[in-house]
Amino acid sequence: MFASMLMFCEVTNPKQLWDAHWESLSDDIQAMTRCERADPTITLSEDALKHRALYEIDQVLIHNGHRLEDFPTLSKSNYIPSVHGGNRLVQEELAYDRHSLTINADNVEDRLNDDQRNAYETILNVVTNKQGKLFFVYGSGGTSKTFIWTTLLSRL
């Protein structure tokens, strides 16, 4: 609505209008951010809410041939969108339940045999110490190569 007012009405003081109504203009930003990041506990600061709202307003303006810069009294947004650009599939892949993965890793580590545990601990040590080595796990079908990898991924 704010973007429409800027584009189609002759708002004499956009900053004053923004300052008076920014809270109602950004009331869904918190929920949108929680949904995007798949984290219902995120709480944005007042500044972060304002910048994200201004970013969203700027996006509407851009789609209509305008920019926030066309209204010099308004602040510019310093919000930087995530790298995945709101792609729902990427968001779902990044929405790991870290707590359940940790519990799963604790449970499955006990099921590793000696050779698997040796490979697991070696790889885990290299990754946690950021040594940057390359590993190739090989074996016949049914030797639980996938089990080692899924156990590592649960732990990491």
Side-chain angles (χ1 to χ4, degrees):
M1 175 156 75
F2 188 72
S4 295
M5 291 173 70
L6 291 174
M7 291 183 296
F8 304 116
C9 302
E10 294 188 27
V11 179
T12 56
N13 191 337
K15 179 166 178 24
Q16 184 180 14
L17 183 63
W18 170 255
D19 289 342
H21 301 284
W22 76 266
E23 289 175 323
S24 61
L25 294 167
S26 61
D27 61 356
D28 62 335
I29 297 296
Q30 185 87 7
M32 189 168 52
T33 303
R34 286 177 176 170
C35 183
E36 286 174 354
R37 297 186 186 169
D39 183 353
T41 63
I42 290 177
T43 302
L44 298 176
S45 68
E46 184 176 293
D47 231 23
L49 284 169
K50 286 180 180 180
H51 285 287
R52 176 69 190 266
L54 285 168
Y55 170 81
E56 297 297 336
I57 290 166
D58 196 29
Q59 295 306 297
V60 172
L61 290 170
I62 289 168
H63 286 288
N64 289 284
H66 297 280
R67 296 200 57 105
L68 272 177
E69 287 83 16
D70 298 342
F71 309 94
T73 60
L74 287 174
S75 300
K76 307 305 178 260
S77 172
N78 68 2
Y79 174 77
I80 300 171
S82 61
V83 175
H84 54 80
N87 183 312
R88 181 186 56 81
L89 295 174
V90 174
Q91 290 171 5
E92 287 174 5
E93 285 298 314
L94 294 175
Y96 298 111
D97 180 356
R98 290 190 170 113
H99 178 69
S100 68
L101 287 172
T102 300
I103 291 170
N104 181 51
D106 291 340
N107 293 334
V108 296
E109 283 174 354
D110 295 336
R111 294 177 24 210
L112 294 169
N113 66 32
D114 291 339
D115 290 335
Q116 292 168 337
R117 181 168 302 283
N118 183 35
Y120 172 82
E121 289 176 354
T122 302
I123 295 168
L124 191 61
N125 185 44
V126 166
V127 171
T128 55
N129 292 318
K130 299 182 180 180
Q131 294 174 338
K133 293 185 179 181
L134 176 67
F135 291 92
F136 182 74
V137 177
Y138 63 95
S140 304
T143 57
S144 300
K145 298 175 296 292
T146 303
F147 179 66
I148 295 171
W149 289 119
T150 55
T151 304
L152 278 164
L153 291 173
S154 291
R155 174 58 63 204
L156 298 171

